[in-house]
Amino acid sequence: MDFKKLFRGPFIYILSAIIVVWIGSSLLMQSGFKQVTTQQGLEFISSDKVASAKIVDGEQRVDLTLTEADDEFGDKVQFYYVAPRGTEIVAAVNDANLESFDDEVPQTSLLTSLLFTLLPFLIIGVIFYFLLTRMQGGGGRVMQFGKSKAKLVGKESPTVTFADVAGADEAVDELREIKEFLQEPAKFQAVGARIPKGVLLYGPPGTGKTLLARATAGEAGVPFYTISGSDFVEMFVGVGASRVRDLFDQAKQNSPAIVFIDEIDAVGRHRGAGIGGGNDEREQTLNQLLVEMDGFDANVNVILIAATNRPDVLDPALLRPGRFDRQIGVDAPDLQGRTQILTVHAKGKPMAAGVDLAVLARKTPGFTGADLANVLNEAALLTARSNAQLIDNRALDEAVDRVMAGPQRRTRLMNDKEKLITAYHEGGHALAAAAMRNTDPVTKVTILPRGRALGYTMVLPLEDKYSITRNELLDQLAYAMGGRVAEEIVFHDPTTGASNDIEKATRIARKMVTEYGMSAKVGSVKLGSAGGEPFLGRDMGHTQDYSDELAKVIDQEVRALIEQAHDEAWHVLNENRDILDTLASTLLEKETLDHNELAALFEPVRKLPERPQWLSSEGRPVSQLPPVPVPTKAPIDPSIADGGVESDTPPQAPRSPLGDYLPGVAPA
């Protein structure tokens, strides 16, 4: 039993109050009279042993003072009677030979009346006090609603420095400059430079924005206040604005200082958004934050660092220069950044001699820092589960698969027909991808269920890509439809396994038409909003910014792209039907094929002919002048890119710029 927690709770106070009330009542009841029965009291009165009597009305009590002390009860006794016996008691007292008697009618004193009047309010006040104490964290914080909840990161706290941050070199350089601003402000003021008031870190989840702020705190050597955006918002009106004022007052008193607000979108959303306007309390908090940032004196060295995953929903007044002068994007790391991140997270983990983190970084394009940390952690867990001592390549490959597609579903047993359909489905994806001229190499095909997929095909780029061509998108559409086409060709009866493929292909085709300007009929026009109001389910409050006639053209163009991809996949699968049958039978036998086995199977593949040149308009013919030559680079060995690891779990597919697309993933 946790006695400290018990003593901190309300039970000890309740028990103490009960004891005090019991002792007080006992003392009050000790008036010197011994209680006897009604019969004994009447016998005392009738035997002339009573010197004086007092009848107390309301309480039906008679107090007797005896002429001589009784051996058992003493000289003072009292008894009680019921109301119907009152006449008998009065008659007995009148008939007795008493020196004196008296009648007492109890009168409520002013103090008692006041006590009973105020007691309900006192009880309500105690309850309110207790609730506020619990809400505010107990102790002496009751009634301090407007006090800031920011934590001061001191030197004794566990420190993180820029040396612990990898894969975000640009952000580190910008924050290192912030550190210099605080340590040597005169250096910048001498040339007329103004110290930035705010730094906004934005980017996808898991890219290390909070870690960068912690590293800045460890490097700065100045007071560092950290708070979450949600801590400003309370159930009481005006608390958020008061906490903002208190926070910046503390920072100004201890300047130079850094204030870090994590998830600032909780309080910094666009004002007036949604039906009926926004939340007034949240908007008041935001207004106070804007005022405080504008109110910085030129000589007050206080810098605000904020982090968010949603810069698109922030109020424009918050983002303007003069408030957030620096806006630093923290994106997913590149190949070199991933290698550095893996090196940082591999510290303290026993790695096998054959493990190359650079190879693992090539297998994980699009992974964030959190993803990479999770990969190494999953590999360590798998190693411990198998009672091994070193983390090897096989564990790392399985960890990549688990992070990307989920754990393997060994309990999901398919019958032979479903297994055959899945083999042809995934084989259709892989063969269509291999027969295209602008796709990355196929690195893995499996029919083992994992996550919500009955099987999947993996395509791994040899290097990081930051843009994608129209032909590459068309190839993605073609091999996305390869699974459905294989089912139509072989079984003449398609299944529901292609639903996810159709969804992803439709999404790519619609983006090609409405966002990328890759349709001659629609033209290079951005159609549709990137995001609607955040309080209206984003797209629910979106107004269509194009005509119904153009919407019909868009649907026709999307349908044409899907049909073209369908035809191309049909063509290449029929041209290579022998390879498709061989691939399906091999999958049924081995269940998983790696890049080496796939390369041997796809060596005789007859590729799709080159597509005709696409023109955005007939009036804009293609120029015949070639681009300037580019210095040649050393070719990348595919075996090195894939790690050259002989394993049952080859590397996972990359995350494309269009989202997490896994060709051939069949929903459960």
Side-chain angles (χ1 to χ4, degrees):
M1 179 179 293
D2 191 354
F3 291 99
K4 292 184 178 179
K5 186 176 181 181
L6 181 64
F7 282 105
R8 285 198 301 265
F11 304 104
I12 186 66
Y13 302 105
I14 296 174
L15 182 61
S16 301
I18 293 174
I19 294 174
V20 170
V21 171
W22 179 74
I23 294 174
S25 61
S26 301
L27 293 174
L28 291 175
M29 293 300 295
Q30 291 179 2
S31 58
F33 287 87
K34 296 289 185 92
Q35 185 175 340
V36 298
T37 64
T38 305
Q39 181 182 357
Q40 291 173 331
L42 291 175
E43 290 177 354
F44 281 129
I45 295 173
S46 61
S47 60
D48 296 333
K49 295 182 178 181
V50 178
S52 64
K54 180 188 291 184
I55 302 176
V56 183
D57 190 26
E59 296 184 13
Q60 281 77 51
R61 190 183 82 236
V62 180
D63 297 336
L64 302 177
T65 302
L66 304 181
T67 55
E68 295 180 1
D70 188 80
D71 296 336
E72 183 178 355
F73 302 107
D75 59 349
K76 291 184 179 181
V77 296
Q78 65 181 194
F79 66 92
Y80 293 86
Y81 62 91
V82 295
R85 197 183 290 274
T87 306
E88 180 183 351
I89 299 298
V90 173
V93 172
N94 290 333
D95 295 340
N97 186 19
L98 304 179
E99 296 178 2
S100 63
F101 64 87
D102 188 18
D103 294 335
E104 181 180 334
V105 180
Q107 299 289 335
T108 304
S109 65
L110 179 61
L111 182 61
T112 304
S113 301
L114 188 62
L115 178 62
F116 280 101
T117 303
L118 298 179
L119 186 60
F121 298 98
L122 291 175
I123 294 174
I124 295 173
V126 171
I127 295 174
F128 191 60
Y129 179 90
F130 177 74
L131 292 177
L132 290 179
T133 302
R134 306 303 296 179
M135 288 170 47
Q136 298 294 326
R141 301 197 60 184
V142 68
M143 303 302 294
Q144 297 182 9
F145 305 115
K147 296 298 183 181
S148 171
K149 290 186 175 181
K151 299 178 181 178
L152 178 60
V153 180
K155 296 181 179 180
E156 65 277 359
S157 303
T159 57
V160 178
T161 63
F162 289 144
D164 301 316
V165 180
D169 296 338
E170 294 85 359
V172 169
D173 292 340
E174 295 290 337
L175 292 174
R176 201 183 301 275
E177 189 176 355
I178 298 298
K179 169 189 170 184
E180 294 180 3
F181 282 149
L182 295 172
Q183 293 180 343
E184 301 180 19
K187 170 184 174 182
F188 300 92
Q189 293 173 356
V191 295
R194 178 177 55 84
I195 298 176
K197 294 181 180 180
V199 178
L200 179 66
L201 303 174
Y202 66 92
T207 51
K209 298 180 294 295
T210 304
L211 180 64
L212 283 168
R214 292 173 58 193
T216 307
E219 292 276 352
V222 299
F224 189 92
Y225 298 90
T226 175
I227 191 173
S228 173
S230 61
D231 288 335
F232 291 115
V233 183
E234 282 279 357
M235 61 180 290
F236 305 104
V237 177
V239 173
S242 178
R243 287 180 176 172
V244 171
R245 289 190 295 269
D246 184 67
L247 172 61
F248 283 96
D249 286 341
Q250 294 181 36
K252 291 176 183 177
Q253 293 172 6
N254 297 279
S255 65
I258 297 177
V259 177
F260 174 61
I261 302 178
D262 201 5
E263 306 296 345
I264 196 175
D265 54 281
V267 70
R269 285 179 177 264
H270 199 293
R271 290 171 290 182
I275 299 176
N279 182 281
D280 289 338
E281 172 63 15
R282 182 188 55 79
E283 291 190 1
Q284 288 180 17
T285 306
L286 176 58
N287 291 336
Q288 186 63 44
L289 181 62
L290 298 177
V291 171
E292 291 291 340
M293 295 187 71
D294 276 344
F296 285 174
D297 295 332
N299 298 323
V300 176
N301 297 338
V302 177
I303 295 179
L304 176 64
I305 301 178
T308 180
N309 303 325
R310 301 286 307 281
D312 56 313
V313 303
L314 295 179
D315 194 277
L318 190 63
L319 298 177
R320 73 163 176 81
R323 291 194 174 113
F324 281 110
D325 302 283
R326 298 285 180 88
Q327 300 182 17
I328 305 172
V330 187
D331 299 321
D334 56 7
L335 176 60
Q336 183 180 358
R338 292 196 301 274
T339 305
Q340 295 173 357
I341 293 173
L342 289 170
T343 303
V344 170
H345 290 291
K347 294 179 180 178
K349 295 181 174 62
M351 297 291 180
V355 173
D356 190 351
L357 296 180
V359 172
L360 181 61
R362 287 190 179 276
K363 298 178 182 180
T364 52
F367 276 43
T368 63
D371 293 330
L372 296 172
N374 196 22
V375 166
L376 290 179
N377 187 60
E378 286 287 344
L381 293 175
L382 292 171
T383 303
R385 187 182 303 173
S386 59
N387 296 321
Q389 303 299 323
L390 299 176
I391 302 174
D392 56 5
N393 287 319
R394 191 178 298 272
L396 291 171
D397 292 341
E398 175 64 20
V400 173
D401 286 349
R402 291 173 68 91
V403 172
M404 179 68 77
Q408 185 173 321
R409 304 289 296 274
R410 296 183 176 87
T411 58
R412 181 177 292 179
L413 301 177
M414 293 184 292
N415 55 41
D416 292 341
K417 184 178 180 180
E418 285 184 328
K419 216 169 190 179
L420 181 63
I421 294 174
T422 303
Y424 270 102
H425 183 103
E426 301 304 330
H429 284 304
L431 182 57
M436 299 293 119
R437 295 184 176 271
N438 300 280
T439 59
D440 297 308
V442 184
T443 58
K444 178 180 180 180
V445 182
T446 181
I447 59 175
L448 294 175
R450 184 182 291 274
R452 294 179 297 176
L454 299 178
Y456 47 89
T457 301
M458 302 282 179
V459 180
L460 182 68
L462 298 180
E463 56 187 8
D464 292 326
K465 289 185 178 181
Y466 303 99
S467 63
I468 190 167
T469 66
R470 186 176 185 272
N471 279 320
E472 290 174 343
L473 289 173
L474 292 176
D475 285 357
Q476 286 192 12
L477 293 178
Y479 73 73
M481 302 303 298
R484 173 65 176 268
V485 172
E487 294 178 3
E488 293 177 356
I489 293 176
V490 177
F491 302 100
H492 314 291
D493 188 17
T495 68
T496 59
S499 61
N500 193 41
D501 304 325
I502 296 173
E503 176 187 352
K504 299 299 179 71
T506 305
R507 186 183 304 170
I508 295 174
R510 186 166 294 277
K511 284 188 176 184
M512 291 176 64
V513 175
T514 61
E515 296 185 23
Y516 303 149
M518 295 180 178
S519 170
K521 291 185 179 180
V522 176
S524 301
V525 182
K526 172 66 171 65
L527 303 174
S529 176
E533 296 289 356
F535 298 103
L536 289 177
R538 301 196 61 82
D539 293 335
M540 190 178 77
H542 168 62
T543 303
Q544 184 172 301
D545 55 2
Y546 49 88
S547 64
D548 293 338
E549 290 79 9
L550 184 56
K552 183 178 180 181
V553 175
I554 293 172
D555 292 340
Q556 291 173 350
E557 288 294 288
V558 172
R559 173 69 181 274
L561 289 173
I562 298 295
E563 289 295 327
Q564 177 186 343
H566 205 128
D567 293 342
E568 290 178 348
W570 185 90
H571 177 75
V572 296
L573 292 186
N574 278 291
E575 286 288 324
N576 301 276
R577 175 60 188 273
D578 54 337
I579 300 177
L580 178 62
D581 293 335
T582 304
L583 178 59
S585 62
T586 308
L587 278 174
L588 290 173
E589 179 184 354
K590 297 184 177 182
E591 295 184 332
T592 300
L593 300 178
D594 61 15
H595 64 284
N596 293 322
E597 295 168 323
L598 291 171
L601 287 172
F602 293 151
E603 188 174 353
V605 165
R606 295 168 287 278
K607 291 186 176 289
L608 183 76
E610 292 283 353
R611 297 187 182 93
Q613 178 66 51
W614 178 75
L615 298 177
S616 60
S617 174
E618 295 293 338
R620 294 188 289 269
V622 179
S623 174
Q624 300 301 320
L625 295 176
V628 299
V630 179
T632 59
K633 295 170 54 178
I636 299 176
D637 189 357
S639 63
I640 297 178
D642 196 49
V645 179
E646 299 290 340
S647 172
D648 293 334
T649 54
Q652 199 55 272
R655 296 182 176 179
S656 75
L658 301 172
D660 296 335
Y661 177 66
L662 296 178
V665 172

